[in-house]
Amino acid sequence: MEHVPPPAEELARLDRELAELDARRAQLLTRRAWLLAALRPPAPTAAPGWNPSAWGAPAAGSPGAPAQPWGYVPPKQPSAPRSAQNVLLTLGGLLLTIAAIAFTLVSWGSMGIGGRSAVLALVTAGALAAPAVLLRRGLTATAEALAALALVLTLLDAYAVHAVAAPDTDGLGFTAVAAGVLAALWTAYGLALGKLHLPLPAAVVLAQWPLLFGAWAAGAPALVVGWALLATAVLDGAIALWGKGTGTRVTACVGGSVMAFSALMVGLTLSVTASGPLGALAPGALLLTGAAAALAGAWRAPRGFARAGGVVAGLAVVAAVGGVPAAAVPEDWGVLAYLSAGLALTAFVRTGLPRNAVLGVLVASAAVVAGALAGALPGLAAVLLGPVTLLSDVWAGSPEGFRAALGSTLPWTGLAAAPVVLAVSAGLLGSAYRWWPSLGRIAAPLIAREEPGPAGAAAYGAGPAGSAGAPGAGTPEAGGAAVPGAGGEPGAETAGTGGTPAPGASGAEAPGAPGAAAPGASGGPWYAGGRAGAPWYAGGAPAARRRPSGAALRGAAGAGAAVLGWGALLLAGAVLDVPYAVAVAGETVLVAGLLALAVRGAGSGRDGSAAVPVTALVVALAGAVSAGLLSLASEGASYAVFGALTALFAGASVRAGAGVERAVFAVAATVGGTVLTGFAGRSLELAPHEAAPLVLLVPALTVLFGARLRRNPVALPVELTGALGALVAVGLAVPDAPFLALVLALCGVLAAGAAVRPERRPVAGYLAAALFVLATWVRLAASEVSFPEAYTLPVTVPALVVGFLRRRKDPEASSWTAYGPGLAATLLPSLAVAWTDPDWQRPLLLGVAALAVTLLGARHRLQALLLLGGAVLALDGLHELAPYVVQVAGALPRWLPPALAGLLLLVVGATYEQRLRDARRLKDALGRMR
């Protein structure tokens, strides 16, 4: 009987089948369209002259270009007529240029002055006039080629005039005048023939040299040369902003960059090498003028050029302003002048400069601060790593001062300003961390000038076009008002225009409406931090997702303040060369302060950032290592420092909340206690192997501590640290075998104590057994015991006991798993030794033991005992009977062995079926055993 589905089920089935048919139809139509496009011959494309980007077919993926399957190779097309034309024109112009150069340099002397002038004037005039005629006929490429020839001819004309008409004129001066005249000529020529691309860029290149060569020819000082370079750069900047044509602007931009860089390098060199403040004023004026020119260009430049201009301007201002006081102070303190000038650049935030230019200035400020901090790194590294040299001579005696303990050859007098640099930077970062909301209000105008990204990303809560927000409206205190759009002045970027919402905007208003807010926006700008603890990548417009949150920035400032402040105090002690005791006590106190900061902020999640406590924890650990190494010069200092560090870390672990910080504190305290036990052994004048049992005191305490804490997360790290201390004790005891056996046995006791706890039993139980066995073996080896049974029986007996308990708990367990390893550990080594033992006692005892094992296996139907015992018994018996068998075989006639072998084969063959059935029964019997 055919099943008829209900109407609803049948309707759903029909809808699915129709949807599959529609999808298949769409797929076939798409494939048909591609095949038609592939079979259609390509339409010829007219290529404009000197525009390679427009030649050929449209790129893959662009409108009008059919998609091609993977591996498709388009057929080769013949060269376009314009391509061949361009090649011919280029070759022709090149040949004419070579001919003109050869004529000017080689054949010039064979003609009179009239002939020379006539030839040059005629050829140059023809080359200059021809492009105008060609442009009217539409032959643009030919006109470009002749314009290039005319350019070379004008250069040759200038050379010819100098060689013939003014041979005694100074070469640099004549070149400066000729470059200026040719630049003016080609500027007028390019403006007259606007369709040509070459004349105006050529004029820009020629304009680079008049002022520079003129100053050089006049023997001007370096400062005047710098002004000439800067004036040329300003001219290039004006051309780059207002010039005609892309080629002209690009050429001017490159030339201006080179000239400006050269001018600023001249000013910087003169400022750094000035003999006094007055001598640094003139180079400073050059640098300030260059900075003003860079900012003026950044006002109208695109984003990338505006930021680069801001960076250049900021660095120039720092070099100009900082160079004057730097010339008045000793060389070692000059960095403070530049650092102060770099920090003063942050005042540009409140100016009306475009956002990108201000960002560039801030980048320059950050670069100056980073450079000043980099100068302090060598001294700080010496303070931290210098005490490592004390490891080779522990407790040699207290040195006189801090520097003597470091063993560094750095010129400490040259690092006098480094602690001040670190302290100033730490103070500023700490102030930023403390008054972060106020800093946000100060930076609000800069953030308000947010530029829309290429995808149209707007700031949080962008309002209608042209609306203005009050400074600081985006701060947490103000409730996070929307960032306004700018009014549209030149060079000022805007954020949020009417009807252009952020991608994915969703809010109270409809998509696309003015003021639509981006998702995830909390109403405040990105620097305000949004929700406490919200990650920087959560929600918001794309521009906001690319930035860290305000909480993360504040945490980074606090962390930087902690690190730099700690480094400033350490480096100050080395620069001042404080007494050794003061240095050791100071480093220990710094560690205590950092631990207090880490404990105070651990787990609090203040401002949604854990950067400050985590950084304090890391720096505290580094400081503890440095202080511990520094204390190794004196016995009393070592006990005092490590005792204090152990107490500090233990107290921090008690005060800290549950988490990683608490475990780190506990581990550090355990390490400190282990080091103290090592110091005790050295104070008692014990040899390293004699001090090994003393080192095990801390691992024993960690076992007790773990039993007290049970499943507390801190217990496992502490116990693992104690295990590492036990491993150190084993390493110390290696040179002396009896002490090594003792230490291994003590470690086994500790492991057995840990195995009492159920959560540690799977690992600690096996570890305890292995340590006990290893201790027994070491003790036997130390006593020069050579019997293998002495080494194997300590393994066999516990293994058989464990197997017996396992079988009692699980009668179905295999005898190979329960008893096989234990029996094999003794029977197989004893059998190997018995085959080479000439005495009779070992084979006899081994045979008796193997017989007992075999009988037990047969009695209790245990396969492992039966087979292992039987195999060992058979091999042992064969070893004992082998000499007699050899004697009997030697006494028998030689024909008897083959006869016995044949007789055996006859008997087996006659009873083959019976023997086969016996073998099957034996196999089944063995298979039924466990």
PDB file of all heavy atoms in Angstrom, residues 702-715:
ATOM      1  N   THR A 702      57.246  21.815  51.756  1.00  0.00           N
ATOM      2  CA  THR A 702      56.261  21.969  50.674  1.00  0.00           C
ATOM      3  C   THR A 702      55.292  20.794  50.641  1.00  0.00           C
ATOM      4  O   THR A 702      54.114  20.966  50.318  1.00  0.00           O
ATOM      5  CB  THR A 702      56.977  22.090  49.322  1.00  0.00           C
ATOM      6  OG1 THR A 702      57.773  20.920  49.087  1.00  0.00           O
ATOM      7  CG2 THR A 702      57.858  23.317  49.276  1.00  0.00           C
ATOM      8  N   VAL A 703      55.780  19.587  50.978  1.00  0.00           N
ATOM      9  CA  VAL A 703      54.868  18.435  51.048  1.00  0.00           C
ATOM     10  C   VAL A 703      53.839  18.637  52.152  1.00  0.00           C
ATOM     11  O   VAL A 703      52.632  18.408  51.963  1.00  0.00           O
ATOM     12  CB  VAL A 703      55.664  17.128  51.259  1.00  0.00           C
ATOM     13  CG1 VAL A 703      54.725  15.962  51.510  1.00  0.00           C
ATOM     14  CG2 VAL A 703      56.535  16.846  50.041  1.00  0.00           C
ATOM     15  N   LEU A 704      54.295  19.098  53.316  1.00  0.00           N
ATOM     16  CA  LEU A 704      53.359  19.378  54.412  1.00  0.00           C
ATOM     17  C   LEU A 704      52.412  20.519  54.045  1.00  0.00           C
ATOM     18  O   LEU A 704      51.218  20.484  54.364  1.00  0.00           O
ATOM     19  CB  LEU A 704      54.133  19.724  55.679  1.00  0.00           C
ATOM     20  CG  LEU A 704      55.038  18.609  56.239  1.00  0.00           C
ATOM     21  CD1 LEU A 704      55.827  19.124  57.441  1.00  0.00           C
ATOM     22  CD2 LEU A 704      54.202  17.396  56.620  1.00  0.00           C
ATOM     23  N   PHE A 705      52.963  21.521  53.358  1.00  0.00           N
ATOM     24  CA  PHE A 705      52.140  22.655  52.935  1.00  0.00           C
ATOM     25  C   PHE A 705      51.078  22.210  51.934  1.00  0.00           C
ATOM     26  O   PHE A 705      49.917  22.627  52.008  1.00  0.00           O
ATOM     27  CB  PHE A 705      53.056  23.716  52.329  1.00  0.00           C
ATOM     28  CG  PHE A 705      52.354  24.987  51.951  1.00  0.00           C
ATOM     29  CD1 PHE A 705      51.920  25.871  52.916  1.00  0.00           C
ATOM     30  CD2 PHE A 705      52.129  25.296  50.622  1.00  0.00           C
ATOM     31  CE1 PHE A 705      51.283  27.041  52.565  1.00  0.00           C
ATOM     32  CE2 PHE A 705      51.485  26.454  50.261  1.00  0.00           C
ATOM     33  CZ  PHE A 705      51.064  27.340  51.237  1.00  0.00           C
ATOM     34  N   GLY A 706      51.462  21.334  51.016  1.00  0.00           N
ATOM     35  CA  GLY A 706      50.490  20.820  50.053  1.00  0.00           C
ATOM     36  C   GLY A 706      49.408  19.996  50.724  1.00  0.00           C
ATOM     37  O   GLY A 706      48.234  20.052  50.334  1.00  0.00           O
ATOM     38  N   ALA A 707      49.780  19.205  51.739  1.00  0.00           N
ATOM     39  CA  ALA A 707      48.768  18.435  52.461  1.00  0.00           C
ATOM     40  C   ALA A 707      47.815  19.346  53.216  1.00  0.00           C
ATOM     41  O   ALA A 707      46.632  19.033  53.380  1.00  0.00           O
ATOM     42  CB  ALA A 707      49.455  17.471  53.431  1.00  0.00           C
ATOM     43  N   ARG A 708      48.333  20.494  53.650  1.00  0.00           N
ATOM     44  CA  ARG A 708      47.462  21.441  54.361  1.00  0.00           C
ATOM     45  C   ARG A 708      46.508  22.150  53.406  1.00  0.00           C
ATOM     46  O   ARG A 708      45.337  22.357  53.716  1.00  0.00           O
ATOM     47  CB  ARG A 708      48.343  22.466  55.089  1.00  0.00           C
ATOM     48  CG  ARG A 708      47.575  23.559  55.804  1.00  0.00           C
ATOM     49  CD  ARG A 708      46.837  23.015  57.016  1.00  0.00           C
ATOM     50  NE  ARG A 708      46.191  24.074  57.764  1.00  0.00           N
ATOM     51  CZ  ARG A 708      45.001  24.597  57.463  1.00  0.00           C
ATOM     52  NH1 ARG A 708      44.329  24.126  56.409  1.00  0.00           N
ATOM     53  NH2 ARG A 708      44.483  25.558  58.203  1.00  0.00           N
ATOM     54  N   LEU A 709      46.997  22.496  52.225  1.00  0.00           N
ATOM     55  CA  LEU A 709      46.157  23.245  51.286  1.00  0.00           C
ATOM     56  C   LEU A 709      45.235  22.356  50.466  1.00  0.00           C
ATOM     57  O   LEU A 709      44.250  22.836  49.907  1.00  0.00           O
ATOM     58  CB  LEU A 709      47.047  24.061  50.337  1.00  0.00           C
ATOM     59  CG  LEU A 709      47.828  25.202  50.973  1.00  0.00           C
ATOM     60  CD1 LEU A 709      48.657  25.899  49.927  1.00  0.00           C
ATOM     61  CD2 LEU A 709      46.887  26.199  51.642  1.00  0.00           C
ATOM     62  N   ARG A 710      45.608  21.086  50.322  1.00  0.00           N
ATOM     63  CA  ARG A 710      44.803  20.138  49.533  1.00  0.00           C
ATOM     64  C   ARG A 710      44.678  20.610  48.091  1.00  0.00           C
ATOM     65  O   ARG A 710      45.661  20.746  47.388  1.00  0.00           O
ATOM     66  CB  ARG A 710      43.432  19.929  50.172  1.00  0.00           C
ATOM     67  CG  ARG A 710      43.486  19.170  51.489  1.00  0.00           C
ATOM     68  CD  ARG A 710      43.835  17.713  51.252  1.00  0.00           C
ATOM     69  NE  ARG A 710      43.923  16.950  52.491  1.00  0.00           N
ATOM     70  CZ  ARG A 710      44.164  15.651  52.519  1.00  0.00           C
ATOM     71  NH1 ARG A 710      44.314  14.992  51.384  1.00  0.00           N
ATOM     72  NH2 ARG A 710      44.264  15.010  53.669  1.00  0.00           N
ATOM     73  N   ARG A 711      43.462  20.930  47.658  1.00  0.00           N
ATOM     74  CA  ARG A 711      43.208  21.264  46.261  1.00  0.00           C
ATOM     75  C   ARG A 711      43.286  22.771  45.984  1.00  0.00           C
ATOM     76  O   ARG A 711      42.768  23.242  44.972  1.00  0.00           O
ATOM     77  CB  ARG A 711      41.834  20.733  45.835  1.00  0.00           C
ATOM     78  CG  ARG A 711      41.737  19.213  45.896  1.00  0.00           C
ATOM     79  CD  ARG A 711      40.431  18.723  45.334  1.00  0.00           C
ATOM     80  NE  ARG A 711      40.329  17.274  45.409  1.00  0.00           N
ATOM     81  CZ  ARG A 711      40.809  16.442  44.479  1.00  0.00           C
ATOM     82  NH1 ARG A 711      41.429  16.935  43.426  1.00  0.00           N
ATOM     83  NH2 ARG A 711      40.688  15.137  44.624  1.00  0.00           N
ATOM     84  N   ASN A 712      43.917  23.526  46.837  1.00  0.00           N
ATOM     85  CA  ASN A 712      44.115  24.946  46.578  1.00  0.00           C
ATOM     86  C   ASN A 712      45.013  25.112  45.344  1.00  0.00           C
ATOM     87  O   ASN A 712      45.991  24.384  45.178  1.00  0.00           O
ATOM     88  CB  ASN A 712      44.760  25.611  47.798  1.00  0.00           C
ATOM     89  CG  ASN A 712      44.719  27.115  47.709  1.00  0.00           C
ATOM     90  OD1 ASN A 712      45.342  27.708  46.845  1.00  0.00           O
ATOM     91  ND2 ASN A 712      43.983  27.732  48.621  1.00  0.00           N
ATOM     92  N   PRO A 713      44.709  26.064  44.454  1.00  0.00           N
ATOM     93  CA  PRO A 713      45.539  26.222  43.245  1.00  0.00           C
ATOM     94  C   PRO A 713      46.992  26.534  43.528  1.00  0.00           C
ATOM     95  O   PRO A 713      47.853  26.314  42.665  1.00  0.00           O
ATOM     96  CB  PRO A 713      44.853  27.392  42.505  1.00  0.00           C
ATOM     97  CG  PRO A 713      43.448  27.401  43.010  1.00  0.00           C
ATOM     98  CD  PRO A 713      43.519  26.950  44.433  1.00  0.00           C
ATOM     99  N   VAL A 714      47.291  27.044  44.715  1.00  0.00           N
ATOM    100  CA  VAL A 714      48.673  27.373  45.035  1.00  0.00           C
ATOM    101  C   VAL A 714      49.482  26.126  45.381  1.00  0.00           C
ATOM    102  O   VAL A 714      50.715  26.115  45.257  1.00  0.00           O
ATOM    103  CB  VAL A 714      48.704  28.389  46.195  1.00  0.00           C
ATOM    104  CG1 VAL A 714      50.130  28.766  46.563  1.00  0.00           C
ATOM    105  CG2 VAL A 714      47.914  29.627  45.818  1.00  0.00           C
ATOM    106  N   ALA A 715      48.836  25.054  45.795  1.00  0.00           N
ATOM    107  CA  ALA A 715      49.543  23.879  46.296  1.00  0.00           C
ATOM    108  C   ALA A 715      50.427  23.248  45.221  1.00  0.00           C
ATOM    109  O   ALA A 715      51.593  22.927  45.473  1.00  0.00           O
ATOM    110  CB  ALA A 715      48.533  22.856  46.826  1.00  0.00           C
TER     111      ALA A 715
END
